[in-house]
Amino acid sequence: MAKNFNLEALVRNNIKTLEPYSSARSDFDKTDKEYIYLDANENSYGSVLGNGFNRYPDPLQKKVRKNIAKMKLIDPAQVFLGHGSDEAIDLLLRVFCRPALDRVIICPPTYGMYQVSAAINEVGVLEVPLDAGFDLDVNAILSNVDPSTKLIFACSPNNPTGNCMSKDRIVQILENFDGLLVLDEAYIDFAGSDKSMVQDISSFPNLVILQTFSKAWGLAGLRAGMAIASPQIVNLLDSVKPPYNMNQSCINLLGRAVEERHMLKKMVKEINEQREYLVSELKNISCVRKIFPSEANFILFQVDDAEERYNQLLYNGFVLRNRSNLVGCDQCLRLTVGTDEDNKQLVRCLKTWNAIDEMFESS
Ligand SMILES: Cc1ncc(COP(=O)(O)O)c(C=O)c1O
């Protein structure tokens, strides 16, 4: 554990003294007793849809948090739910970083929202690139920490590289950094539970794990993500979030998703198999220079000319992401694993390039 970690000292003063908004629905728990609710200016007659959305939802989503905690073998008090994990990123910045004074460390190439959210909150960003193997450069990170460094963002498996960060490096940061390490595990379900740090959450009070329902769970349209952290950190996030940050239909559907989680394993297996199929096919495409190992639902690969190949694919109806402008990703495209049929079509298209390349070579 970091020797001088002191959560109280990390929190912005205005948040420490904040009197959070007290919503009508947090004062009274619907499950306790049959009350007649005349407190929240809702429509007591019902809704135009006639299906029970006339009441504000539970601001703390207690039931679904409890079921998620049970599934993750943690305490419900360690679970924060947000409007996507992007909401948790923003709230962490707002709770811990003073605009124009504090800063965060990010490790590019990585997910773009850490930088964007920091910029929105006027929080400085120091970039400490991943090393040549796309792993955390612990010495460089720790030597760049100063008293203004409140958060370090790490992503595992990392977007866009697809690999997991080494656990021992994550632990080294946790043991030597007095701020918070925000470990984004958005793609962890594709990598296997032994790669997750969720079970270590009680051992590291300066660890915040982000997970999302947008990837393996297939619920990107719902906008649901979580931050897993100490109850004290969860409380802080709850105190600054909009009171009803998760709507009732999202809460309902999330509850159903958790009940039907047997589907998750099956989908992850299929996606991982399709990823390996794509990797094996990409190896035979002549313009592909390098394929980076992935434990996520996407593949980063280097081609001869990323812009040209990106446009050729677009012309053929395939939208990929050109990641060439990111540190360490020269001439790289990021490909999300599609359905069996999507992937076959893509491979057919890529193979026609081989034939064209061969034609040019022999002429
Ligand atoms: C690493 C990473 N974290 C978080 C997110 C966003 O997740 P959510 O949809 O829960 O906001 C993404 C989305 O692409 C991502 O790649």
Side-chain angles (χ1 to χ4, degrees):
M1 186 176 129
K3 285 179 277 305
N4 299 314
F5 177 71
N6 176 351
L7 184 65
E8 180 79 7
L10 266 188
V11 179
R12 285 170 67 197
N13 284 336
N14 61 318
I15 304 297
K16 252 184 257 175
T17 55
L18 180 77
E19 183 79 51
Y21 176 71
S22 146
S23 72
R25 287 292 158 271
S26 39
D27 292 343
F28 288 93
D29 194 328
K30 286 182 192 172
T31 53
D32 273 3
K33 189 178 156 183
E34 276 305 305
Y35 291 109
I36 296 172
Y37 290 103
L38 305 174
D39 56 345
N41 302 346
E42 297 152 335
N43 185 337
S44 303
Y45 283 78
S47 77
V48 289
L49 296 175
N51 55 1
F53 287 104
N54 56 326
R55 299 294 178 188
Y56 284 105
D58 173 6
L60 294 177
Q61 312 101 13
K62 288 186 284 297
K63 188 168 166 206
V64 73
R65 286 193 197 197
K66 196 170 145 199
N67 290 339
I68 289 170
K70 202 165 155 194
M71 168 178 78
K72 302 256 168 216
L73 307 175
I74 53 176
D75 194 284
Q78 294 171 314
V79 181
F80 168 83
L81 279 182
H83 190 75
S85 44
D86 282 347
E87 182 179 27
I89 295 170
D90 176 63
L91 294 179
L92 285 162
L93 286 157
R94 289 205 265 157
V95 170
F96 296 103
C97 303
R98 295 165 302 168
L101 291 173
D102 290 332
R103 68 177 190 181
V104 300
I105 289 180
I106 66 169
C107 306
T110 195
Y111 180 48
M113 274 308 283
Y114 314 137
Q115 172 114 40
V116 172
S117 255
I120 292 168
N121 287 290
E122 213 187 335
V123 170
V125 173
L126 184 78
E127 296 189 7
V128 180
L130 295 175
D131 68 11
F134 287 148
D135 205 345
L136 296 165
D137 188 341
V138 179
N139 289 338
I141 291 172
L142 293 176
S143 63
N144 274 290
V145 166
D146 71 13
S148 74
T149 314
K150 298 296 164 68
L151 309 175
I152 296 173
F153 285 94
C155 188
S156 180
N158 184 43
N159 175 7
T161 58
N163 61 305
C164 287
M165 303 297 106
S166 329
K167 252 191 190 176
D168 59 321
R169 296 190 188 196
I170 295 169
V171 170
Q172 270 184 60
I173 296 175
L174 286 166
E175 285 176 342
N176 293 288
F177 176 49
D178 296 325
L180 296 182
L181 175 65
V182 183
L183 182 65
D184 189 341
E185 293 189 342
Y187 299 94
I188 200 69
D189 296 302
F190 299 105
S193 53
D194 60 317
K195 298 287 172 81
S196 172
M197 296 279 297
V198 165
Q199 297 318 316
D200 302 291
I201 203 75
S202 300
S203 316
F204 297 104
N206 57 342
L207 174 61
V208 178
I209 294 178
L210 304 179
Q211 292 193 354
T212 179
F213 290 91
S214 300
K215 308 298 175 185
W217 289 78
L219 296 170
L222 268 196
R223 306 308 301 127
M226 53 193 146
I228 295 165
S230 69
Q232 293 80 359
I233 294 174
V234 169
N235 265 335
L236 286 161
L237 296 176
D238 279 332
S239 70
V240 294
K241 77 180 181 70
Y244 307 110
N245 63 329
M246 191 169 267
N247 68 60
Q248 188 64 60
S249 54
C250 180
I251 294 175
N252 296 349
L253 290 168
L254 211 51
R256 262 185 54 201
V258 173
E259 272 170 30
E260 286 169 31
R261 62 180 172 278
H262 55 275
M263 284 286 294
L264 181 71
K265 228 176 166 176
K266 191 169 159 279
M267 282 204 297
V268 164
K269 185 169 177 283
E270 213 168 309
I271 291 168
N272 283 348
E273 281 168 8
Q274 284 296 314
R275 182 188 65 218
E276 293 318 304
Y277 159 72
L278 284 169
V279 167
S280 67
E281 293 292 346
L282 283 172
K283 282 181 183 158
N284 300 318
I285 306 300
S286 52
C287 70
V288 174
R289 298 280 178 268
K290 192 169 179 181
I291 306 163
F292 295 91
S294 171
E295 293 188 75
N297 64 337
F298 55 82
I299 302 160
L300 186 74
F301 63 102
Q302 190 181 47
V303 291
D304 49 359
D305 183 333
E307 195 179 337
E308 191 185 327
R309 299 300 178 182
Y310 173 86
N311 286 326
Q312 278 177 334
L313 282 165
L314 198 59
Y315 180 76
N316 285 281
F318 299 98
V319 186
L320 272 71
R321 201 91 202 261
N322 184 353
R323 300 280 69 187
S324 292
N325 57 343
L326 300 183
V327 168
C329 298
D330 186 39
Q331 307 304 335
C332 282
L333 300 176
R334 192 193 68 195
L335 162 66
T336 304
V337 176
T339 63
D340 180 27
E341 189 44 43
D342 298 337
N343 302 333
K344 276 195 194 125
Q345 276 191 44
L346 177 77
V347 167
R348 269 201 296 276
C349 172
L350 294 173
K351 281 185 172 163
T352 61
W353 294 0
N354 275 0
I356 294 167
D357 285 349
E358 274 165 29
M359 242 165 56
F360 276 118
E361 272 164 27
S362 60
S363 65

